[in-house]
Amino acid sequence: MPDATPEPTPAPPPRKRRVLRAVVLVGLLAFAWPAFRGTWTEAERTDAAGLVRGDVDSRLVRRNGASWIQISALVEAPIAQVWKVVHDHERMTDFMPRMAKLKVTEQSGSHKRVRIDFHFLVDRYTEIDVDVEVGDRERVERWKRFGGSLPVNEGRWVLVPIDASRTFARYEVHAESGMPVPAFLERAILRDALKVVLTRVEDRIERLRREDPAYLNDAK
């Protein structure tokens, strides 16, 4: 009796093949975009050239062998007002994403210690040393982790006046959550999440002008 020849597996209909190719393509793009956002570095932005109101410049930069996220924008407010808002740590939950609570635990002159609690997938917290430098042309706040469940957290605010009513603001951070995810994916997620920070700072100043002008009037 002759061997039975197996029937060939029918090819999927053309419509199913197109759907399958589209699914594969979307999956590749979903992987490639964060890989690009979390690995491709650029030169640091050091001034406001080319920025207009509403622009937010987001970059991944290399500094001292580490990958830093740098967010820059023009804020339509005097430097003293921007400084007061970004330096008021216990009210930063009004504009910082993922931050659930901030508490100043120590303060001496221009130095502070701050604890920050985050809500993101699993709760994390960090304890940071904060120091400031206020000069004639720029104001800088730097921080660095000294404790907490985040293994890496350092960064800085840099504010430079453009004129009496506008400020060039940069928010820069190098952070790692310690979660078991690829570093490039973590950087891409953080980079996109932080784009809203400077927009929210300006929105907060506008709201304070309406609701609590005395708070901004005290800005120096």
Side-chain angles (χ1 to χ4, degrees):
M1 186 174 181
D3 292 338
T5 303
E7 293 290 331
T9 302
R15 185 171 183 277
K16 285 189 176 180
R17 289 200 299 271
R18 289 196 298 270
V19 170
L20 180 60
R21 284 198 295 267
V23 169
V24 171
L25 179 61
V26 169
L28 289 173
L29 289 174
F31 180 83
W33 181 240
F36 173 80
R37 299 277 288 166
T39 59
W40 184 265
T41 59
E42 301 177 74
E44 296 195 34
R45 173 180 278 278
T46 58
D47 57 42
L51 288 175
V52 298
R53 186 176 188 179
D55 286 348
V56 178
D57 185 282
S58 168
R59 302 185 181 203
L60 187 68
V61 302
R62 294 292 289 178
R63 184 184 298 156
N64 299 325
S67 296
W68 284 64
I69 296 162
Q70 183 189 70
I71 310 296
S72 308
L74 276 178
V75 178
E76 295 285 328
I79 188 172
Q81 293 183 358
V82 182
W83 179 253
K84 179 154 189 178
V85 167
V86 303
H87 195 56
D88 188 351
H89 293 95
E90 293 187 338
R91 299 176 72 172
M92 286 179 68
T93 53
D94 290 337
F95 60 86
M96 289 296 297
R98 311 294 185 193
M99 289 187 181
K101 182 180 178 182
L102 294 93
K103 180 176 178 60
V104 176
T105 57
E106 294 181 32
Q107 184 163 1
S108 176
S110 61
H111 175 262
K112 294 180 183 178
R113 282 194 158 185
V114 182
R115 173 180 167 132
I116 308 172
D117 291 86
F118 298 88
H119 286 324
F120 179 67
L121 298 180
V122 295
D123 291 347
R124 289 283 191 271
Y125 80 98
T126 187
E127 295 172 305
I128 57 174
D129 280 307
V130 182
D131 291 285
V132 302
E133 298 173 16
V134 177
D136 294 334
R137 280 298 302 162
E138 68 177 21
R139 303 186 185 192
V140 182
E141 175 188 289
R142 292 183 176 85
W143 68 88
K144 192 165 186 177
R145 172 199 181 274
F146 71 87
S149 54
L150 290 185
V152 178
N153 179 23
E154 61 179 317
R156 65 179 184 172
W157 285 97
V158 181
L159 305 182
V160 180
I162 300 300
D163 52 37
S165 61
R166 295 183 303 162
T167 302
F168 173 53
R170 299 202 317 267
Y171 177 75
E172 304 171 349
V173 64
H174 167 47
E176 297 174 10
S177 70
M179 297 175 65
V181 297
F184 76 82
L185 180 59
E186 189 168 67
R187 286 193 296 265
I189 293 172
L190 185 60
R191 181 177 174 179
D192 288 334
L194 292 178
K195 281 193 72 172
V196 303
V197 169
L198 294 177
T199 303
R200 289 182 178 178
V201 166
E202 187 167 338
D203 290 345
R204 173 156 171 71
I205 292 171
E206 289 292 335
R207 188 168 67 252
L208 287 166
R209 286 171 179 165
R210 296 191 304 269
E211 300 173 3
D212 191 4
Y215 177 86
L216 291 178
N217 291 340
D218 291 338
K220 299 178 182 178

